[in-house]
Amino acid sequence: QVHLVQSGPEVREPGASVKVSCKASGYSFTNYEIVWVRQAPGQGLEWMGWISTYNGNTNYKQKFQGRVTMTTDTSTSTAYMELTSLRSDDTAIYYCAREGVDAPMATHKWLDPWGQGTLVTVSS
Amino acid sequence: DIQMTQSPSSLSASVGDRVTITCRASQTIINYLNWYQQKPGEAPKLLVYAASTLQSGVPSRFSGSGSGTDFTLTVNSLQPEDFATYFCQQSFITPHTFGQGTKLEIK
């Protein structure tokens, strides 16, 4: 069974950094990309970017360029998302998700499954 | 970025009803459209991908349709567990943006 298990809640002061982990199990980690999505309290979903677990290539939403770093550790099947220079409006639940693709063309992409989410609270 | 607009933002319905949620893209996305269901306190769950392909394990009362810029998610014969928030997402061009969500409530 495919599972993504994320690290626990975090509280940070404005200006600090946070690093969230996402441990995958039940499938070959390097066969699927990992996407990070966040959801501010009571709000919608925001796509942050993805990372290739095969070669480490990344694609970040422009809004987060320079503040976000996505990495992986293939030895432990774990993906990480680090966000720096935190502001109060970064308070949100951060989700990782596996990006599925349609074989063999790999044109359509979707997110399934998702991790349970990690609440990051930014407050002084 | 491609803007995704869902309507309505909220919807009240009864068990057994048929409901339709609409998602419109700001430019053509062909059929690169996914639908997710999210219940309070839970992560989103994939329902439909490529506009009309039902994810394995999703009940057949759910269906998706559309192409180009206009898409719909239909739920036939609503069940109590279907009351949740639904999001569309385009996967045509990054960033893969989401709609703002449609909250389906019990009437």
PDB file of all heavy atoms in Angstrom, chain B residues 10-44:
ATOM      1  N   SER B  10     -20.375  27.322  -3.067  1.00  0.00           N
ATOM      2  CA  SER B  10     -21.005  26.418  -2.116  1.00  0.00           C
ATOM      3  C   SER B  10     -22.332  25.953  -2.677  1.00  0.00           C
ATOM      4  O   SER B  10     -22.928  26.621  -3.537  1.00  0.00           O
ATOM      5  CB  SER B  10     -21.186  27.089  -0.759  1.00  0.00           C
ATOM      6  OG  SER B  10     -22.058  28.178  -0.877  1.00  0.00           O
ATOM      7  N   LEU B  11     -22.777  24.834  -2.168  1.00  0.00           N
ATOM      8  CA  LEU B  11     -23.949  24.175  -2.736  1.00  0.00           C
ATOM      9  C   LEU B  11     -24.618  23.355  -1.639  1.00  0.00           C
ATOM     10  O   LEU B  11     -23.933  22.602  -0.927  1.00  0.00           O
ATOM     11  CB  LEU B  11     -23.488  23.275  -3.878  1.00  0.00           C
ATOM     12  CG  LEU B  11     -24.478  22.392  -4.630  1.00  0.00           C
ATOM     13  CD1 LEU B  11     -25.554  23.231  -5.263  1.00  0.00           C
ATOM     14  CD2 LEU B  11     -23.714  21.588  -5.688  1.00  0.00           C
ATOM     15  N   SER B  12     -25.915  23.493  -1.490  1.00  0.00           N
ATOM     16  CA  SER B  12     -26.679  22.681  -0.541  1.00  0.00           C
ATOM     17  C   SER B  12     -27.508  21.666  -1.307  1.00  0.00           C
ATOM     18  O   SER B  12     -28.175  22.018  -2.285  1.00  0.00           O
ATOM     19  CB  SER B  12     -27.594  23.563   0.303  1.00  0.00           C
ATOM     20  OG  SER B  12     -26.845  24.412   1.136  1.00  0.00           O
ATOM     21  N   ALA B  13     -27.457  20.427  -0.860  1.00  0.00           N
ATOM     22  CA  ALA B  13     -28.202  19.370  -1.531  1.00  0.00           C
ATOM     23  C   ALA B  13     -28.600  18.300  -0.518  1.00  0.00           C
ATOM     24  O   ALA B  13     -28.098  18.287   0.616  1.00  0.00           O
ATOM     25  CB  ALA B  13     -27.372  18.764  -2.649  1.00  0.00           C
ATOM     26  N   SER B  14     -29.473  17.425  -0.944  1.00  0.00           N
ATOM     27  CA  SER B  14     -29.970  16.359  -0.065  1.00  0.00           C
ATOM     28  C   SER B  14     -29.437  15.011  -0.520  1.00  0.00           C
ATOM     29  O   SER B  14     -29.063  14.839  -1.703  1.00  0.00           O
ATOM     30  CB  SER B  14     -31.491  16.338  -0.076  1.00  0.00           C
ATOM     31  OG  SER B  14     -32.021  17.572   0.346  1.00  0.00           O
ATOM     32  N   VAL B  15     -29.414  14.063   0.395  1.00  0.00           N
ATOM     33  CA  VAL B  15     -29.034  12.697   0.048  1.00  0.00           C
ATOM     34  C   VAL B  15     -29.954  12.210  -1.067  1.00  0.00           C
ATOM     35  O   VAL B  15     -31.179  12.419  -1.014  1.00  0.00           O
ATOM     36  CB  VAL B  15     -29.128  11.776   1.279  1.00  0.00           C
ATOM     37  CG1 VAL B  15     -28.921  10.321   0.877  1.00  0.00           C
ATOM     38  CG2 VAL B  15     -28.093  12.185   2.326  1.00  0.00           C
ATOM     39  N   GLY B  16     -29.345  11.617  -2.094  1.00  0.00           N
ATOM     40  CA  GLY B  16     -30.113  11.133  -3.234  1.00  0.00           C
ATOM     41  C   GLY B  16     -30.151  12.098  -4.405  1.00  0.00           C
ATOM     42  O   GLY B  16     -30.504  11.703  -5.520  1.00  0.00           O
ATOM     43  N   ASP B  17     -29.788  13.358  -4.180  1.00  0.00           N
ATOM     44  CA  ASP B  17     -29.786  14.356  -5.250  1.00  0.00           C
ATOM     45  C   ASP B  17     -28.654  14.111  -6.237  1.00  0.00           C
ATOM     46  O   ASP B  17     -27.677  13.408  -5.941  1.00  0.00           O
ATOM     47  CB  ASP B  17     -29.619  15.773  -4.685  1.00  0.00           C
ATOM     48  CG  ASP B  17     -30.877  16.313  -4.043  1.00  0.00           C
ATOM     49  OD1 ASP B  17     -31.926  15.646  -4.137  1.00  0.00           O
ATOM     50  OD2 ASP B  17     -30.813  17.414  -3.455  1.00  0.00           O
ATOM     51  N   ARG B  18     -28.782  14.734  -7.394  1.00  0.00           N
ATOM     52  CA  ARG B  18     -27.719  14.777  -8.391  1.00  0.00           C
ATOM     53  C   ARG B  18     -27.204  16.213  -8.425  1.00  0.00           C
ATOM     54  O   ARG B  18     -27.996  17.152  -8.510  1.00  0.00           O
ATOM     55  CB  ARG B  18     -28.262  14.378  -9.757  1.00  0.00           C
ATOM     56  CG  ARG B  18     -27.280  14.452 -10.905  1.00  0.00           C
ATOM     57  CD  ARG B  18     -27.947  13.914 -12.171  1.00  0.00           C
ATOM     58  NE  ARG B  18     -27.076  13.870 -13.325  1.00  0.00           N
ATOM     59  CZ  ARG B  18     -27.028  14.809 -14.264  1.00  0.00           C
ATOM     60  NH1 ARG B  18     -27.802  15.871 -14.189  1.00  0.00           N
ATOM     61  NH2 ARG B  18     -26.210  14.680 -15.294  1.00  0.00           N
ATOM     62  N   VAL B  19     -25.889  16.368  -8.306  1.00  0.00           N
ATOM     63  CA  VAL B  19     -25.306  17.708  -8.315  1.00  0.00           C
ATOM     64  C   VAL B  19     -24.204  17.795  -9.359  1.00  0.00           C
ATOM     65  O   VAL B  19     -23.553  16.801  -9.683  1.00  0.00           O
ATOM     66  CB  VAL B  19     -24.746  18.107  -6.928  1.00  0.00           C
ATOM     67  CG1 VAL B  19     -25.853  18.138  -5.888  1.00  0.00           C
ATOM     68  CG2 VAL B  19     -23.619  17.195  -6.509  1.00  0.00           C
ATOM     69  N   THR B  20     -24.011  19.020  -9.848  1.00  0.00           N
ATOM     70  CA  THR B  20     -22.962  19.283 -10.838  1.00  0.00           C
ATOM     71  C   THR B  20     -22.154  20.485 -10.404  1.00  0.00           C
ATOM     72  O   THR B  20     -22.715  21.525 -10.029  1.00  0.00           O
ATOM     73  CB  THR B  20     -23.567  19.530 -12.228  1.00  0.00           C
ATOM     74  OG1 THR B  20     -24.258  18.354 -12.661  1.00  0.00           O
ATOM     75  CG2 THR B  20     -22.480  19.859 -13.236  1.00  0.00           C
ATOM     76  N   ILE B  21     -20.849  20.338 -10.438  1.00  0.00           N
ATOM     77  CA  ILE B  21     -19.915  21.414 -10.124  1.00  0.00           C
ATOM     78  C   ILE B  21     -19.158  21.751 -11.403  1.00  0.00           C
ATOM     79  O   ILE B  21     -18.737  20.849 -12.136  1.00  0.00           O
ATOM     80  CB  ILE B  21     -18.929  20.973  -9.023  1.00  0.00           C
ATOM     81  CG1 ILE B  21     -19.698  20.643  -7.732  1.00  0.00           C
ATOM     82  CG2 ILE B  21     -17.879  22.046  -8.768  1.00  0.00           C
ATOM     83  CD1 ILE B  21     -18.852  19.953  -6.686  1.00  0.00           C
ATOM     84  N   THR B  22     -18.979  23.039 -11.642  1.00  0.00           N
ATOM     85  CA  THR B  22     -18.335  23.500 -12.868  1.00  0.00           C
ATOM     86  C   THR B  22     -16.969  24.098 -12.569  1.00  0.00           C
ATOM     87  O   THR B  22     -16.770  24.743 -11.534  1.00  0.00           O
ATOM     88  CB  THR B  22     -19.215  24.542 -13.557  1.00  0.00           C
ATOM     89  OG1 THR B  22     -20.448  23.932 -13.929  1.00  0.00           O
ATOM     90  CG2 THR B  22     -18.536  25.111 -14.783  1.00  0.00           C
ATOM     91  N   CYS B  23     -16.044  23.876 -13.489  1.00  0.00           N
ATOM     92  CA  CYS B  23     -14.699  24.436 -13.390  1.00  0.00           C
ATOM     93  C   CYS B  23     -14.337  25.032 -14.752  1.00  0.00           C
ATOM     94  O   CYS B  23     -14.471  24.353 -15.779  1.00  0.00           O
ATOM     95  CB  CYS B  23     -13.712  23.329 -13.013  1.00  0.00           C
ATOM     96  SG  CYS B  23     -11.997  23.847 -12.837  1.00  0.00           S
ATOM     97  N   ARG B  24     -13.910  26.285 -14.758  1.00  0.00           N
ATOM     98  CA  ARG B  24     -13.558  26.968 -16.006  1.00  0.00           C
ATOM     99  C   ARG B  24     -12.104  27.425 -15.947  1.00  0.00           C
ATOM    100  O   ARG B  24     -11.681  28.050 -14.967  1.00  0.00           O
ATOM    101  CB  ARG B  24     -14.484  28.135 -16.252  1.00  0.00           C
ATOM    102  CG  ARG B  24     -14.121  29.003 -17.450  1.00  0.00           C
ATOM    103  CD  ARG B  24     -15.267  29.909 -17.843  1.00  0.00           C
ATOM    104  NE  ARG B  24     -16.361  29.143 -18.452  1.00  0.00           N
ATOM    105  CZ  ARG B  24     -17.540  29.692 -18.789  1.00  0.00           C
ATOM    106  NH1 ARG B  24     -17.767  30.977 -18.557  1.00  0.00           N
ATOM    107  NH2 ARG B  24     -18.474  28.957 -19.328  1.00  0.00           N
ATOM    108  N   ALA B  25     -11.373  27.144 -16.999  1.00  0.00           N
ATOM    109  CA  ALA B  25      -9.972  27.562 -17.095  1.00  0.00           C
ATOM    110  C   ALA B  25      -9.866  28.862 -17.881  1.00  0.00           C
ATOM    111  O   ALA B  25     -10.663  29.118 -18.780  1.00  0.00           O
ATOM    112  CB  ALA B  25      -9.156  26.475 -17.770  1.00  0.00           C
ATOM    113  N   SER B  26      -8.846  29.661 -17.549  1.00  0.00           N
ATOM    114  CA  SER B  26      -8.667  30.965 -18.205  1.00  0.00           C
ATOM    115  C   SER B  26      -8.110  30.825 -19.619  1.00  0.00           C
ATOM    116  O   SER B  26      -8.088  31.802 -20.369  1.00  0.00           O
ATOM    117  CB  SER B  26      -7.763  31.856 -17.364  1.00  0.00           C
ATOM    118  OG  SER B  26      -6.487  31.251 -17.192  1.00  0.00           O
ATOM    119  N   GLN B  27      -7.652  29.632 -19.988  1.00  0.00           N
ATOM    120  CA  GLN B  27      -7.220  29.338 -21.344  1.00  0.00           C
ATOM    121  C   GLN B  27      -7.428  27.844 -21.558  1.00  0.00           C
ATOM    122  O   GLN B  27      -7.651  27.101 -20.587  1.00  0.00           O
ATOM    123  CB  GLN B  27      -5.763  29.721 -21.575  1.00  0.00           C
ATOM    124  CG  GLN B  27      -4.774  28.901 -20.760  1.00  0.00           C
ATOM    125  CD  GLN B  27      -3.341  29.319 -20.995  1.00  0.00           C
ATOM    126  OE1 GLN B  27      -2.881  30.334 -20.490  1.00  0.00           O
ATOM    127  NE2 GLN B  27      -2.626  28.516 -21.782  1.00  0.00           N
ATOM    128  N   THR B  28      -7.318  27.414 -22.792  1.00  0.00           N
ATOM    129  CA  THR B  28      -7.561  26.004 -23.033  1.00  0.00           C
ATOM    130  C   THR B  28      -6.555  25.124 -22.293  1.00  0.00           C
ATOM    131  O   THR B  28      -5.350  25.452 -22.237  1.00  0.00           O
ATOM    132  CB  THR B  28      -7.528  25.656 -24.530  1.00  0.00           C
ATOM    133  OG1 THR B  28      -7.841  24.252 -24.693  1.00  0.00           O
ATOM    134  CG2 THR B  28      -6.162  25.940 -25.125  1.00  0.00           C
ATOM    135  N   ILE B  29      -7.057  24.050 -21.705  1.00  0.00           N
ATOM    136  CA  ILE B  29      -6.189  23.075 -21.049  1.00  0.00           C
ATOM    137  C   ILE B  29      -6.466  21.678 -21.616  1.00  0.00           C
ATOM    138  O   ILE B  29      -6.118  20.670 -20.997  1.00  0.00           O
ATOM    139  CB  ILE B  29      -6.361  23.079 -19.505  1.00  0.00           C
ATOM    140  CG1 ILE B  29      -7.825  22.847 -19.106  1.00  0.00           C
ATOM    141  CG2 ILE B  29      -5.844  24.394 -18.921  1.00  0.00           C
ATOM    142  CD1 ILE B  29      -8.019  22.627 -17.609  1.00  0.00           C
ATOM    143  N   ILE B  30      -7.121  21.659 -22.777  1.00  0.00           N
ATOM    144  CA  ILE B  30      -7.444  20.424 -23.482  1.00  0.00           C
ATOM    145  C   ILE B  30      -8.277  19.542 -22.535  1.00  0.00           C
ATOM    146  O   ILE B  30      -9.430  19.850 -22.307  1.00  0.00           O
ATOM    147  CB  ILE B  30      -6.176  19.719 -24.004  1.00  0.00           C
ATOM    148  CG1 ILE B  30      -5.307  20.726 -24.786  1.00  0.00           C
ATOM    149  CG2 ILE B  30      -6.551  18.535 -24.907  1.00  0.00           C
ATOM    150  CD1 ILE B  30      -4.031  20.185 -25.329  1.00  0.00           C
ATOM    151  N   ASN B  31      -7.690  18.492 -22.007  1.00  0.00           N
ATOM    152  CA  ASN B  31      -8.396  17.688 -20.990  1.00  0.00           C
ATOM    153  C   ASN B  31      -7.495  17.421 -19.787  1.00  0.00           C
ATOM    154  O   ASN B  31      -7.652  16.401 -19.098  1.00  0.00           O
ATOM    155  CB  ASN B  31      -8.902  16.367 -21.581  1.00  0.00           C
ATOM    156  CG  ASN B  31      -7.769  15.423 -21.941  1.00  0.00           C
ATOM    157  OD1 ASN B  31      -6.644  15.860 -22.171  1.00  0.00           O
ATOM    158  ND2 ASN B  31      -8.048  14.142 -21.982  1.00  0.00           N
ATOM    159  N   TYR B  32      -6.557  18.348 -19.525  1.00  0.00           N
ATOM    160  CA  TYR B  32      -5.613  18.184 -18.426  1.00  0.00           C
ATOM    161  C   TYR B  32      -6.235  18.716 -17.139  1.00  0.00           C
ATOM    162  O   TYR B  32      -5.813  19.746 -16.587  1.00  0.00           O
ATOM    163  CB  TYR B  32      -4.294  18.885 -18.748  1.00  0.00           C
ATOM    164  CG  TYR B  32      -3.516  18.181 -19.832  1.00  0.00           C
ATOM    165  CD1 TYR B  32      -3.910  18.258 -21.171  1.00  0.00           C
ATOM    166  CD2 TYR B  32      -2.389  17.431 -19.530  1.00  0.00           C
ATOM    167  CE1 TYR B  32      -3.213  17.604 -22.160  1.00  0.00           C
ATOM    168  CE2 TYR B  32      -1.677  16.769 -20.513  1.00  0.00           C
ATOM    169  CZ  TYR B  32      -2.094  16.863 -21.832  1.00  0.00           C
ATOM    170  OH  TYR B  32      -1.396  16.220 -22.811  1.00  0.00           O
ATOM    171  N   LEU B  33      -7.241  18.011 -16.658  1.00  0.00           N
ATOM    172  CA  LEU B  33      -8.051  18.486 -15.560  1.00  0.00           C
ATOM    173  C   LEU B  33      -8.309  17.348 -14.566  1.00  0.00           C
ATOM    174  O   LEU B  33      -8.713  16.244 -14.975  1.00  0.00           O
ATOM    175  CB  LEU B  33      -9.379  19.037 -16.097  1.00  0.00           C
ATOM    176  CG  LEU B  33     -10.307  19.872 -15.216  1.00  0.00           C
ATOM    177  CD1 LEU B  33     -11.113  19.021 -14.256  1.00  0.00           C
ATOM    178  CD2 LEU B  33      -9.567  20.960 -14.476  1.00  0.00           C
ATOM    179  N   ASN B  34      -8.024  17.635 -13.303  1.00  0.00           N
ATOM    180  CA  ASN B  34      -8.234  16.666 -12.234  1.00  0.00           C
ATOM    181  C   ASN B  34      -9.250  17.199 -11.239  1.00  0.00           C
ATOM    182  O   ASN B  34      -9.393  18.416 -11.076  1.00  0.00           O
ATOM    183  CB  ASN B  34      -6.920  16.391 -11.488  1.00  0.00           C
ATOM    184  CG  ASN B  34      -5.794  15.985 -12.409  1.00  0.00           C
ATOM    185  OD1 ASN B  34      -5.983  15.207 -13.350  1.00  0.00           O
ATOM    186  ND2 ASN B  34      -4.604  16.514 -12.164  1.00  0.00           N
ATOM    187  N   TRP B  35      -9.924  16.277 -10.562  1.00  0.00           N
ATOM    188  CA  TRP B  35     -10.861  16.623  -9.495  1.00  0.00           C
ATOM    189  C   TRP B  35     -10.458  15.906  -8.205  1.00  0.00           C
ATOM    190  O   TRP B  35     -10.100  14.723  -8.228  1.00  0.00           O
ATOM    191  CB  TRP B  35     -12.284  16.206  -9.856  1.00  0.00           C
ATOM    192  CG  TRP B  35     -12.940  17.019 -10.927  1.00  0.00           C
ATOM    193  CD1 TRP B  35     -13.052  16.700 -12.244  1.00  0.00           C
ATOM    194  CD2 TRP B  35     -13.598  18.283 -10.767  1.00  0.00           C
ATOM    195  NE1 TRP B  35     -13.736  17.687 -12.923  1.00  0.00           N
ATOM    196  CE2 TRP B  35     -14.096  18.669 -12.034  1.00  0.00           C
ATOM    197  CE3 TRP B  35     -13.839  19.128  -9.671  1.00  0.00           C
ATOM    198  CZ2 TRP B  35     -14.804  19.854 -12.236  1.00  0.00           C
ATOM    199  CZ3 TRP B  35     -14.539  20.307  -9.877  1.00  0.00           C
ATOM    200  CH2 TRP B  35     -15.005  20.661 -11.141  1.00  0.00           C
ATOM    201  N   TYR B  36     -10.552  16.646  -7.094  1.00  0.00           N
ATOM    202  CA  TYR B  36     -10.237  16.101  -5.778  1.00  0.00           C
ATOM    203  C   TYR B  36     -11.382  16.378  -4.808  1.00  0.00           C
ATOM    204  O   TYR B  36     -12.092  17.381  -4.934  1.00  0.00           O
ATOM    205  CB  TYR B  36      -8.954  16.741  -5.213  1.00  0.00           C
ATOM    206  CG  TYR B  36      -7.740  16.564  -6.087  1.00  0.00           C
ATOM    207  CD1 TYR B  36      -7.445  17.480  -7.094  1.00  0.00           C
ATOM    208  CD2 TYR B  36      -6.891  15.481  -5.916  1.00  0.00           C
ATOM    209  CE1 TYR B  36      -6.345  17.320  -7.909  1.00  0.00           C
ATOM    210  CE2 TYR B  36      -5.774  15.306  -6.728  1.00  0.00           C
ATOM    211  CZ  TYR B  36      -5.520  16.236  -7.717  1.00  0.00           C
ATOM    212  OH  TYR B  36      -4.414  16.067  -8.525  1.00  0.00           O
ATOM    213  N   GLN B  37     -11.488  15.505  -3.823  1.00  0.00           N
ATOM    214  CA  GLN B  37     -12.444  15.664  -2.734  1.00  0.00           C
ATOM    215  C   GLN B  37     -11.661  15.843  -1.441  1.00  0.00           C
ATOM    216  O   GLN B  37     -10.707  15.098  -1.185  1.00  0.00           O
ATOM    217  CB  GLN B  37     -13.314  14.416  -2.622  1.00  0.00           C
ATOM    218  CG  GLN B  37     -14.298  14.412  -1.472  1.00  0.00           C
ATOM    219  CD  GLN B  37     -14.870  13.017  -1.234  1.00  0.00           C
ATOM    220  OE1 GLN B  37     -14.183  12.094  -0.845  1.00  0.00           O
ATOM    221  NE2 GLN B  37     -16.166  12.871  -1.502  1.00  0.00           N
ATOM    222  N   GLN B  38     -12.062  16.816  -0.631  1.00  0.00           N
ATOM    223  CA  GLN B  38     -11.405  17.003   0.662  1.00  0.00           C
ATOM    224  C   GLN B  38     -12.442  17.102   1.765  1.00  0.00           C
ATOM    225  O   GLN B  38     -13.355  17.925   1.699  1.00  0.00           O
ATOM    226  CB  GLN B  38     -10.530  18.254   0.663  1.00  0.00           C
ATOM    227  CG  GLN B  38      -9.719  18.399   1.954  1.00  0.00           C
ATOM    228  CD  GLN B  38      -8.819  19.618   1.970  1.00  0.00           C
ATOM    229  OE1 GLN B  38      -9.155  20.660   1.412  1.00  0.00           O
ATOM    230  NE2 GLN B  38      -7.662  19.503   2.608  1.00  0.00           N
ATOM    231  N   LYS B  39     -12.286  16.270   2.773  1.00  0.00           N
ATOM    232  CA  LYS B  39     -13.152  16.319   3.954  1.00  0.00           C
ATOM    233  C   LYS B  39     -12.418  17.061   5.068  1.00  0.00           C
ATOM    234  O   LYS B  39     -11.169  17.087   5.085  1.00  0.00           O
ATOM    235  CB  LYS B  39     -13.537  14.905   4.379  1.00  0.00           C
ATOM    236  CG  LYS B  39     -14.366  14.196   3.308  1.00  0.00           C
ATOM    237  CD  LYS B  39     -14.756  12.803   3.712  1.00  0.00           C
ATOM    238  CE  LYS B  39     -15.580  12.156   2.603  1.00  0.00           C
ATOM    239  NZ  LYS B  39     -15.974  10.771   2.928  1.00  0.00           N
ATOM    240  N   PRO B  40     -13.143  17.653   5.994  1.00  0.00           N
ATOM    241  CA  PRO B  40     -12.504  18.447   7.061  1.00  0.00           C
ATOM    242  C   PRO B  40     -11.443  17.647   7.810  1.00  0.00           C
ATOM    243  O   PRO B  40     -11.671  16.502   8.205  1.00  0.00           O
ATOM    244  CB  PRO B  40     -13.684  18.802   7.966  1.00  0.00           C
ATOM    245  CG  PRO B  40     -14.864  18.806   7.058  1.00  0.00           C
ATOM    246  CD  PRO B  40     -14.612  17.693   6.078  1.00  0.00           C
ATOM    247  N   GLY B  41     -10.269  18.264   7.968  1.00  0.00           N
ATOM    248  CA  GLY B  41      -9.193  17.628   8.705  1.00  0.00           C
ATOM    249  C   GLY B  41      -8.457  16.545   7.950  1.00  0.00           C
ATOM    250  O   GLY B  41      -7.586  15.880   8.524  1.00  0.00           O
ATOM    251  N   GLU B  42      -8.776  16.365   6.667  1.00  0.00           N
ATOM    252  CA  GLU B  42      -8.119  15.321   5.877  1.00  0.00           C
ATOM    253  C   GLU B  42      -7.411  15.932   4.679  1.00  0.00           C
ATOM    254  O   GLU B  42      -7.692  17.049   4.257  1.00  0.00           O
ATOM    255  CB  GLU B  42      -9.147  14.287   5.394  1.00  0.00           C
ATOM    256  CG  GLU B  42      -9.837  13.537   6.514  1.00  0.00           C
ATOM    257  CD  GLU B  42     -10.779  12.468   5.987  1.00  0.00           C
ATOM    258  OE1 GLU B  42     -10.826  12.256   4.748  1.00  0.00           O
ATOM    259  OE2 GLU B  42     -11.466  11.854   6.813  1.00  0.00           O
ATOM    260  N   ALA B  43      -6.503  15.144   4.102  1.00  0.00           N
ATOM    261  CA  ALA B  43      -5.851  15.549   2.866  1.00  0.00           C
ATOM    262  C   ALA B  43      -6.811  15.329   1.698  1.00  0.00           C
ATOM    263  O   ALA B  43      -7.725  14.510   1.775  1.00  0.00           O
ATOM    264  CB  ALA B  43      -4.580  14.731   2.658  1.00  0.00           C
ATOM    265  N   PRO B  44      -6.607  16.060   0.621  1.00  0.00           N
ATOM    266  CA  PRO B  44      -7.427  15.819  -0.578  1.00  0.00           C
ATOM    267  C   PRO B  44      -7.247  14.398  -1.095  1.00  0.00           C
ATOM    268  O   PRO B  44      -6.211  13.769  -0.889  1.00  0.00           O
ATOM    269  CB  PRO B  44      -6.893  16.851  -1.577  1.00  0.00           C
ATOM    270  CG  PRO B  44      -6.322  17.943  -0.727  1.00  0.00           C
ATOM    271  CD  PRO B  44      -5.725  17.225   0.456  1.00  0.00           C
TER     272      PRO B  44
END
